Coordinates of all heavy atoms in Angstrom, one line a residue:
G1 N -0.7 -31.4 -53.1 CA -0.9 -32.8 -52.9 C -1.5 -33.1 -51.6 O -2.0 -32.2 -50.8
V2 N -1.6 -34.3 -51.2 CA -2.2 -34.7 -49.9 C -1.3 -34.2 -48.7 O -0.1 -34.5 -48.7 CB -2.5 -36.2 -49.8 CG1 -2.9 -36.6 -48.4 CG2 -3.4 -36.7 -50.8
L3 N -1.8 -33.5 -47.8 CA -1.1 -33.0 -46.6 C -1.2 -34.1 -45.5 O -2.3 -34.6 -45.2 CB -1.6 -31.6 -46.2 CG -1.6 -30.5 -47.2 CD1 -2.2 -29.3 -46.5 CD2 -0.2 -30.2 -47.6
A4 N 0.0 -34.2 -44.9 CA 0.0 -35.2 -43.8 C -0.9 -34.7 -42.6 O -0.9 -33.5 -42.4 CB 1.4 -35.5 -43.3
T5 N -1.5 -35.6 -41.9 CA -2.2 -35.2 -40.7 C -1.2 -34.4 -39.7 O -0.1 -34.9 -39.5 CB -2.7 -36.5 -39.9 OG1 -3.6 -37.2 -40.8 CG2 -3.4 -36.1 -38.6
G6 N -1.7 -33.4 -39.2 CA -0.9 -32.5 -38.3 C -0.2 -31.3 -39.0 O 0.3 -30.4 -38.4
T7 N -0.3 -31.3 -40.4 CA 0.2 -30.1 -41.1 C -0.6 -28.9 -40.8 O -1.8 -29.0 -40.6 CB 0.1 -30.4 -42.6 OG1 0.8 -31.6 -43.0 CG2 0.6 -29.2 -43.4
T8 N 0.1 -27.8 -40.6 CA -0.6 -26.5 -40.3 C -0.7 -25.8 -41.6 O 0.1 -25.7 -42.5 CB 0.2 -25.6 -39.3 OG1 1.5 -25.4 -39.8 CG2 0.3 -26.4 -38.0
V9 N -1.9 -25.2 -41.8 CA -2.2 -24.2 -42.9 C -2.5 -22.9 -42.3 O -3.4 -22.8 -41.4 CB -3.4 -24.8 -43.7 CG1 -3.8 -23.8 -44.8 CG2 -3.0 -26.1 -44.3
T10 N -1.7 -21.9 -42.7 CA -1.8 -20.5 -42.1 C -2.0 -19.5 -43.2 O -1.4 -19.6 -44.2 CB -0.6 -20.2 -41.3 OG1 -0.3 -21.3 -40.4 CG2 -0.7 -18.9 -40.5
I11 N -2.9 -18.6 -43.0 CA -3.0 -17.4 -43.8 C -2.7 -16.2 -42.9 O -3.1 -16.1 -41.8 CB -4.5 -17.3 -44.4 CG1 -4.5 -16.1 -45.4 CG2 -5.5 -17.3 -43.4 CD1 -5.8 -16.1 -46.2
T12 N -2.0 -15.3 -43.5 CA -1.6 -14.0 -42.8 C -2.0 -12.8 -43.7 O -1.9 -12.9 -44.9 CB -0.1 -13.9 -42.5 OG1 0.6 -13.8 -43.7 CG2 0.3 -15.1 -41.7
A13 N -2.3 -11.8 -43.1 CA -2.5 -10.5 -43.7 C -1.8 -9.4 -43.0 O -2.0 -9.1 -41.8 CB -4.0 -10.1 -43.8
V14 N -0.7 -8.9 -43.6 CA 0.2 -7.9 -43.0 C 0.3 -6.8 -44.1 O 0.8 -7.0 -45.1 CB 1.5 -8.4 -42.7 CG1 2.4 -7.3 -42.1 CG2 1.4 -9.6 -41.6
G15 N -0.2 -5.6 -43.7 CA -0.2 -4.5 -44.7 C -1.1 -5.0 -45.8 O -2.3 -5.4 -45.7
N16 N -0.7 -4.9 -47.1 CA -1.4 -5.3 -48.2 C -0.9 -6.7 -48.7 O -1.3 -7.1 -49.8 CB -1.3 -4.3 -49.4 CG 0.0 -3.9 -49.8 OD1 0.9 -4.8 -49.7 ND2 0.3 -2.8 -50.4
T17 N -0.1 -7.4 -48.0 CA 0.4 -8.7 -48.3 C -0.4 -9.8 -47.7 O -0.5 -9.8 -46.5 CB 1.9 -8.8 -48.0 OG1 2.7 -7.8 -48.6 CG2 2.4 -10.2 -48.3
I18 N -0.9 -10.7 -48.6 CA -1.7 -11.8 -48.0 C -0.9 -13.0 -48.4 O -0.5 -13.2 -49.6 CB -3.1 -11.9 -48.7 CG1 -3.7 -10.5 -48.8 CG2 -4.0 -12.9 -48.0 CD1 -3.9 -9.8 -47.4
A19 N -0.6 -13.9 -47.5 CA 0.3 -15.0 -47.7 C -0.4 -16.3 -47.1 O -1.0 -16.3 -46.1 CB 1.7 -14.9 -47.1
L20 N -0.2 -17.4 -47.8 CA -0.6 -18.7 -47.4 C 0.5 -19.6 -47.1 O 1.5 -19.7 -48.0 CB -1.5 -19.3 -48.5 CG -2.2 -20.6 -48.2 CD1 -3.1 -20.5 -47.0 CD2 -3.0 -21.1 -49.4
L21 N 0.6 -20.3 -46.0 CA 1.7 -21.1 -45.6 C 1.4 -22.5 -45.3 O 0.3 -22.8 -44.7 CB 2.4 -20.5 -44.3 CG 3.0 -19.0 -44.4 CD1 1.9 -18.0 -44.1 CD2 4.2 -18.9 -43.4
E22 N 2.2 -23.4 -45.6 CA 2.2 -24.8 -45.2 C 3.4 -25.1 -44.3 O 4.5 -25.0 -44.7 CB 2.3 -25.7 -46.5 CG 2.3 -27.2 -46.1 CD 2.6 -28.1 -47.3 OE1 2.3 -27.7 -48.5 OE2 3.2 -29.2 -47.1
N23 N 3.1 -25.3 -43.0 CA 4.1 -25.7 -42.0 C 5.1 -24.6 -42.1 O 6.4 -24.8 -42.1 CB 4.7 -27.0 -42.2 CG 3.9 -28.1 -41.8 OD1 3.0 -27.9 -40.9 ND2 4.1 -29.3 -42.2
S24 N 4.8 -23.3 -41.9 CA 5.7 -22.2 -41.9 C 6.5 -21.9 -43.1 O 7.6 -21.3 -43.1 CB 6.6 -22.3 -40.7 OG 5.9 -22.4 -39.4
T25 N 6.1 -22.4 -44.3 CA 6.7 -22.2 -45.6 C 5.7 -21.4 -46.4 O 4.6 -21.9 -46.6 CB 7.1 -23.5 -46.2 OG1 8.2 -24.1 -45.4 CG2 7.8 -23.1 -47.6
V26 N 6.0 -20.3 -46.9 CA 5.1 -19.5 -47.8 C 5.1 -20.3 -49.1 O 6.0 -20.5 -49.9 CB 5.7 -18.1 -48.0 CG1 4.7 -17.3 -49.0 CG2 5.7 -17.3 -46.7
V27 N 3.8 -20.7 -49.5 CA 3.6 -21.4 -50.7 C 2.8 -20.6 -51.7 O 2.7 -20.9 -52.9 CB 2.9 -22.7 -50.5 CG1 3.8 -23.7 -49.7 CG2 1.6 -22.6 -49.8
A28 N 2.1 -19.6 -51.3 CA 1.3 -18.7 -52.2 C 1.1 -17.3 -51.5 O 1.0 -17.2 -50.3 CB -0.1 -19.3 -52.4
S29 N 1.1 -16.3 -52.4 CA 1.0 -15.0 -51.8 C 0.4 -14.0 -52.8 O 0.4 -14.3 -54.1 CB 2.3 -14.4 -51.3 OG 3.2 -14.3 -52.4
A30 N -0.1 -12.9 -52.4 CA -0.6 -11.9 -53.3 C -0.6 -10.5 -52.6 O -0.5 -10.5 -51.3 CB -2.0 -12.2 -53.7
S31 N -0.7 -9.5 -53.3 CA -0.8 -8.1 -52.7 C -2.2 -7.6 -53.1 O -2.6 -7.5 -54.3 CB 0.3 -7.2 -53.3 OG 0.2 -5.9 -52.8
D32 N -2.9 -7.3 -52.1 CA -4.3 -6.8 -52.3 C -4.7 -5.8 -51.2 O -4.5 -6.2 -50.0 CB -5.3 -8.0 -52.3 CG -6.6 -7.6 -52.8 OD1 -7.4 -7.1 -51.9 OD2 -6.9 -7.7 -54.0
P33 N -5.1 -4.6 -51.5 CA -5.5 -3.6 -50.5 C -7.0 -3.5 -50.2 O -7.4 -2.6 -49.5 CB -5.0 -2.3 -51.2 CG -5.3 -2.6 -52.7 CD -5.2 -4.1 -52.9
A34 N -7.8 -4.5 -50.7 CA -9.2 -4.3 -50.6 C -9.8 -4.2 -49.1 O -10.6 -3.3 -48.9 CB -9.9 -5.4 -51.3
Y35 N -9.2 -5.0 -48.2 CA -9.9 -5.0 -46.9 C -8.9 -4.7 -45.8 O -7.7 -5.1 -45.8 CB -10.4 -6.4 -46.6 CG -11.5 -6.9 -47.6 CD1 -11.3 -8.1 -48.3 CD2 -12.5 -6.1 -47.9 CE1 -12.2 -8.6 -49.2 CE2 -13.5 -6.5 -48.9 CZ -13.3 -7.7 -49.5 OH -14.3 -8.1 -50.4
S36 N -9.4 -4.0 -44.8 CA -8.6 -3.8 -43.5 C -9.6 -4.2 -42.4 O -10.8 -4.3 -42.6 CB -8.1 -2.4 -43.4 OG -9.2 -1.5 -43.5
G37 N -9.1 -4.4 -41.2 CA -9.9 -4.7 -40.1 C -10.5 -6.1 -40.2 O -9.8 -6.9 -40.7
G38 N -11.7 -6.3 -39.7 CA -12.3 -7.6 -39.7 C -11.7 -8.5 -38.7 O -11.0 -8.1 -37.8
A39 N -11.9 -9.8 -38.8 CA -11.4 -10.8 -37.8 C -11.0 -12.1 -38.5 O -11.4 -12.4 -39.6 CB -12.5 -11.1 -36.8
P40 N -10.0 -12.8 -37.8 CA -9.7 -14.1 -38.3 C -10.7 -15.1 -38.0 O -11.5 -15.0 -37.0 CB -8.3 -14.4 -37.5 CG -8.5 -13.6 -36.2 CD -9.3 -12.4 -36.6
G41 N -10.8 -16.2 -38.7 CA -11.7 -17.3 -38.5 C -11.5 -18.5 -39.3 O -10.4 -18.7 -39.9
V42 N -12.5 -19.4 -39.4 CA -12.5 -20.6 -40.2 C -13.6 -20.7 -41.1 O -14.7 -20.2 -40.7 CB -12.5 -21.8 -39.1 CG1 -12.5 -23.1 -40.0 CG2 -11.3 -21.8 -38.3
M43 N -13.5 -21.2 -42.3 CA -14.5 -21.5 -43.2 C -14.4 -22.9 -43.7 O -13.3 -23.5 -43.7 CB -14.5 -20.5 -44.4 CG -14.7 -19.0 -44.0 SD -14.8 -17.9 -45.4 CE -16.4 -18.2 -45.9
A44 N -15.5 -23.5 -44.1 CA -15.5 -24.9 -44.5 C -16.6 -25.1 -45.6 O -17.6 -24.5 -45.5 CB -15.6 -25.9 -43.4
S45 N -16.4 -26.2 -46.4 CA -17.4 -26.6 -47.3 C -17.5 -28.1 -47.2 O -16.5 -28.8 -47.4 CB -17.1 -26.2 -48.7 OG -18.1 -26.7 -49.6
G46 N -18.7 -28.7 -47.0 CA -18.8 -30.2 -46.8 C -18.5 -30.6 -45.5 O -18.6 -29.8 -44.4
T47 N -18.0 -31.8 -45.4 CA -17.8 -32.5 -44.0 C -16.3 -32.5 -43.6 O -16.0 -33.1 -42.6 CB -18.2 -33.9 -44.1 OG1 -17.5 -34.6 -45.1 CG2 -19.8 -34.0 -44.4
T48 N -15.5 -31.7 -44.3 CA -14.0 -31.6 -43.9 C -13.9 -31.0 -42.6 O -14.5 -30.1 -42.2 CB -13.3 -30.9 -45.0 OG1 -13.6 -31.4 -46.3 CG2 -11.8 -30.9 -44.8

């Protein structure tokens, strides 16, 4: 739903576990071994 202004959205990659968090609560996760290395960053589509 609509997230309040100030809500944090976090993605973590630890081992082969990828997790998505809303305000430090895990709301979605998966196990995937495809990538290692790389860098954290931001992506966007449109004017958001």
Side-chain angles (χ1 to χ4, degrees):
V2 176
L3 299 180
T5 300
T7 300
T8 58
V9 175
T10 309
I11 183 172
T12 66
V14 176
N16 59 26
T17 299
I18 317 300
L20 186 60
L21 297 87
E22 175 189 334
N23 283 341
S24 299
T25 298
V26 177
V27 295
S29 65
S31 179
D32 191 276
Y35 302 127
S36 60
V42 177
M43 300 183 75
S45 176
T47 58
T48 306

